[in-house]
Amino acid sequence: MPIATVNPADGETLKTYEPMGEEELERRLQLAEATFRTYRLSSFTDRSRLLLQAANLLEEDQRDIARVMTTEMGKPIRQARAEAAKCAKAMRWYAERAEGLLADERPADADVEDSGATRALVRYRPLGPVLAVMPWNFPLWQVIRFAAPALMAGNVGLLKHASNVPQTALYLEDLFHRAGFTEGCFQTLLIGSGAVDEILRDERVKAATLTGSEPAGRAVASASGEMVKKTVLELGGSDPFVVMPSADLDRAARVAVTARVQNNGQSCIAAKRFIVHSDVYDAFAERFTEGMKALKVGDPLEEDTEVGPLASEQGRADIEELVADARRSGATVLCGGERPDWPGWYYPPTVLTGITREMRIHREEAFGPVATLYRAADLDEAVLIANDSPFGLSSNVWTQNEAEVDRFVRDLEAGGVFVNGMTASHPAFPFGGVKRSGYGRELSGHGIREFCNITTVWHGA
């Protein structure tokens, strides 16, 4: 895949970049290793000052970088500005809290005495250069939620971004440099996916994190496993959105529309499978379908656009194939289902019902604005349908019954359960999944400790 900015709203190639050669890549790896030797000794105060400056600069750049993101991958411009603001918020969160999150831990006095020590502690130390393989769908946020904690922990970052967002990738490197971080603290590697394996096997790279597809995750995990390197993987998701009879149906349906089409439906944590109790199925389906029909699809640079184009022509083709397969197997299309007759990689908000286990869309992630509706007879069947997926990233539950909430929290196979609200990531809460959605956690204290050497320090008499 070429490294290029191709505007998904019209298919025009705006900029192309040559991949880095071996000599430049080697220079950057050497620089990362050398920089880590000194950066790891920096104080939390110094790191915080630099990260806060990066947050300030990002806020100043918000409108410009939002336009770049929208031009590169098609998200509505208002959502792009919100993404930039969220990144600045996360940088401030880690800048202000990292020292406390990584403070030495003191075991109980009784345990210290029982171990034969005069004193003991647990210290969090940085690992070294960390490779981040990141996707295009949230081209700022996916990187910042890795970079902010990694840099505050004393690690240095190497970014291999998706090949269709090179301008955003280069902006990120420039942002950290302008903030005052030395050149080797954060570097963008303009390389194709074929070069990742060799970097993973380089002894100077100590760990890796990937957000992306399941095949990409398998490849990174395999290479890293052979080298016995730590990895964090956030892969696909096909999140359930369960609606029970006690739910506020009007609000649930409104939120369901946003949950499905956020980022043009190209989000791992977007709700994709809507599982509705039989008692309220018809009422919810009507409200939800009308809400999907009413969305404005169009130029993502226009302020009132709610759904823009998919990021690539292949992405649209993949969605079309999933819908066609479901139709052939008997699914009913309540709205959408046909690409519009205008330039760009647009696909309309679509609702399918009559889904069966044999359909591809039942077991594969639909990365676009396509929702599937399921009817559940009771809570038990709702849980069965929700868990009948290879993925387990997050989940949404709508009910006013606390006993039902307890059951869903106990039984849903997911890294998050959001009750009467839409799944969203926040720097204070751990983010990640189970099953084929990956392993490890980003964000919160859990995320900053993923790439630390958790060191026991024991003192004898």
Side-chain angles (χ1 to χ4, degrees), residues 394-436:
S394 189
S395 60
N396 308 259
V397 174
W398 288 76
T399 177
Q400 301 300 323
N401 185 313
E402 285 301 316
E404 290 178 350
V405 171
D406 290 342
R407 276 288 311 278
F408 284 120
V409 172
R410 185 192 75 181
D411 293 341
L412 287 178
E413 298 168 353
V417 180
F418 284 69
V419 181
N420 297 326
M422 186 180 91
T423 295
S425 54
H426 184 283
F429 304 119
F431 180 87
V434 295
K435 301 196 289 189
R436 293 187 186 176

Side-chain angles (χ1 to χ4, degrees), residues 320-395:
E320 288 180 316
E321 289 171 11
L322 285 179
V323 172
D325 174 80
R327 274 177 154 159
R328 286 193 297 268
S329 299
T332 299
V333 180
L334 299 184
C335 70
E338 299 289 343
R339 71 162 75 173
D341 186 21
W342 64 66
W345 300 316
Y346 292 90
Y347 197 81
T350 299
V351 180
L352 303 177
T353 190
I355 305 301
T356 63
R357 298 187 78 246
E358 293 72 30
M359 296 174 186
R360 287 177 53 202
I361 202 166
H362 176 74
R363 60 185 183 274
E364 298 179 25
E365 180 178 22
F367 219 58
V370 176
T372 52
L373 274 174
Y374 296 79
R375 186 190 299 266
D378 52 27
L379 184 149
D380 290 332
E381 186 175 19
V383 170
L384 285 173
I385 296 171
N387 289 340
D388 188 22
S389 169
F391 302 107
L393 192 52
S394 189
S395 60

Side-chain angles (χ1 to χ4, degrees), residues 104-367:
D104 290 348
E105 295 179 5
R106 308 283 176 176
D109 290 342
D111 291 330
V112 173
E113 183 179 349
D114 185 62
S115 75
T118 57
R119 55 195 173 98
L121 58 87
V122 176
R123 178 161 295 170
Y124 294 95
R125 298 187 292 158
L127 291 179
V130 179
L131 174 66
V133 182
M134 294 289 108
W136 46 262
N137 58 334
F138 292 94
L140 273 187
W141 173 240
Q142 301 282 9
V143 178
I144 292 299
R145 73 187 195 190
F146 142 75
L151 290 169
M152 284 306 301
N155 296 302
V156 301
L158 295 165
L159 171 64
K160 189 286 180 214
H161 217 324
S163 293
N164 61 331
V165 290
Q167 292 184 71
T168 306
L170 292 170
Y171 167 81
L172 283 158
E173 179 181 84
D174 181 63
L175 173 69
F176 288 113
H177 293 175
R178 285 188 290 135
F181 287 94
T182 58
E183 183 186 359
C185 284
F186 186 93
Q187 300 179 83
T188 289
L189 308 179
L190 282 185
I191 55 175
S193 57
V196 171
D197 186 79
E198 184 177 351
I199 297 172
L200 286 171
R201 296 176 187 278
D202 193 297
E203 293 287 355
R204 292 166 292 191
V205 175
K206 301 304 181 185
T209 180
L210 175 138
T211 298
S213 68
E214 185 182 339
R218 289 179 186 275
V220 166
S222 177
S224 299
E226 288 183 27
M227 300 301 294
V228 197
K229 293 181 180 180
K230 175 71 178 289
T231 53
V232 170
L233 303 180
E234 193 265 280
L235 309 179
S238 190
D239 291 1
F241 189 106
V242 182
V243 181
M244 299 298 286
S246 64
D248 179 338
L249 287 189
D250 288 333
R251 181 165 173 261
R254 287 196 304 271
V255 173
V257 171
T258 303
R260 177 61 282 226
V261 302
Q262 60 174 314
N263 207 44
N264 304 338
Q266 300 165 123
S267 170
C268 295
I269 57 170
K272 299 182 177 79
R273 297 176 296 132
F274 296 82
I275 303 161
V276 186
H277 192 284
S278 293
D279 290 352
V280 292
Y281 178 89
D282 290 338
F284 176 86
E286 180 181 2
R287 289 167 170 80
F288 178 56
T289 303
E290 288 305 312
M292 292 284 276
K293 285 181 181 177
L295 292 166
K296 180 182 177 182
V297 180
D299 184 349
L301 288 173
E302 293 183 1
E303 290 291 331
D304 60 346
T305 291
E306 295 169 294
V307 180
L310 299 187
S312 69
E313 190 171 16
Q314 184 59 54
R316 182 175 65 177
D318 291 342
I319 280 291
E320 288 180 316
E321 289 171 11
L322 285 179
V323 172
D325 174 80
R327 274 177 154 159
R328 286 193 297 268
S329 299
T332 299
V333 180
L334 299 184
C335 70
E338 299 289 343
R339 71 162 75 173
D341 186 21
W342 64 66
W345 300 316
Y346 292 90
Y347 197 81
T350 299
V351 180
L352 303 177
T353 190
I355 305 301
T356 63
R357 298 187 78 246
E358 293 72 30
M359 296 174 186
R360 287 177 53 202
I361 202 166
H362 176 74
R363 60 185 183 274
E364 298 179 25
E365 180 178 22
F367 219 58

